[in-house]
Amino acid sequence: TTKGGGLACEALIYFDPARGAEMVRRRMRSGHLLSKHRFLAAQMDAFLDGGHWLDLAGRANAAARRLAEGLTSIPGVRLPIEPQANGLFPIMRQEIVDGLKAEGAVFYPWPDKGLPEAERAKTGEAMMRLVTSFATRDEDIDRFLAVAAKAARPLAAE
């Protein structure tokens, strides 16, 4: 649940109970048995109650779709991998990357070695990792896209 807003709370789900039998011992042995475990359990209860986790994931995924749609309309940006959740891996011209970072955007370069050779970043381009969350606001996406579009304006003439 940490990606969904929880604090230090994760869950392992076993569809085959026999595979999970050893986890109690492994969890204790690795030091993941907290004395106040009920505080983590309360988070998990709230996270699962009424499908709340689906609402949060749906919001993050919708934000990623919105961001992807906006990015594909900007010259100098391409999405070699179709987003399927809340992570995007656009390849952007370096001018756009620099413009976004100059305005305070925080994101990370990502290796493109898993892509077919023809789809990898070319000279002057870089693949980035962008992640949306349940807390990503539409106005943040709009600002990111506006800054990227502004940085891409000189590229439109190419």
Side-chain angles (χ1 to χ4, degrees), residues 43-82:
Q43 289 181 70
M44 190 58 73
D45 282 346
F47 191 64
L48 297 174
D49 186 44
H52 185 54
W53 70 278
L54 285 172
D55 297 336
L56 296 175
R59 172 65 186 126
N61 293 347
R65 280 191 303 276
R66 187 168 197 260
L67 180 57
E69 288 168 6
L71 285 172
T72 57
S73 69
I74 297 173
V77 178
R78 58 191 169 92
L79 289 170
I81 301 170
E82 186 68 30

Side-chain angles (χ1 to χ4, degrees), residues 62-135:
R65 280 191 303 276
R66 187 168 197 260
L67 180 57
E69 288 168 6
L71 285 172
T72 57
S73 69
I74 297 173
V77 178
R78 58 191 169 92
L79 289 170
I81 301 170
E82 186 68 30
Q84 297 188 16
N86 67 322
L88 289 89
F89 299 91
I91 292 178
M92 297 187 264
R93 289 280 300 264
Q94 192 61 47
E95 296 92 327
I96 299 170
V97 172
D98 294 343
L100 286 162
K101 289 192 173 193
E103 290 294 322
V106 178
F107 52 92
Y108 305 97
W110 201 257
D112 63 359
K113 302 300 182 220
L115 294 175
E117 187 77 34
E119 294 180 29
R120 293 181 187 167
K122 312 289 186 267
T123 301
E125 294 181 326
M127 182 179 236
M128 297 293 143
R129 177 179 184 243
L130 306 177
V131 179
T132 58
S133 79
F134 65 94

Side-chain angles (χ1 to χ4, degrees), residues 1-10 43 47 134:
T1 65
T2 54
K3 290 193 179 214
L7 179 64
C9 186
E10 299 289 340
Q43 289 181 70
F47 191 64
F134 65 94

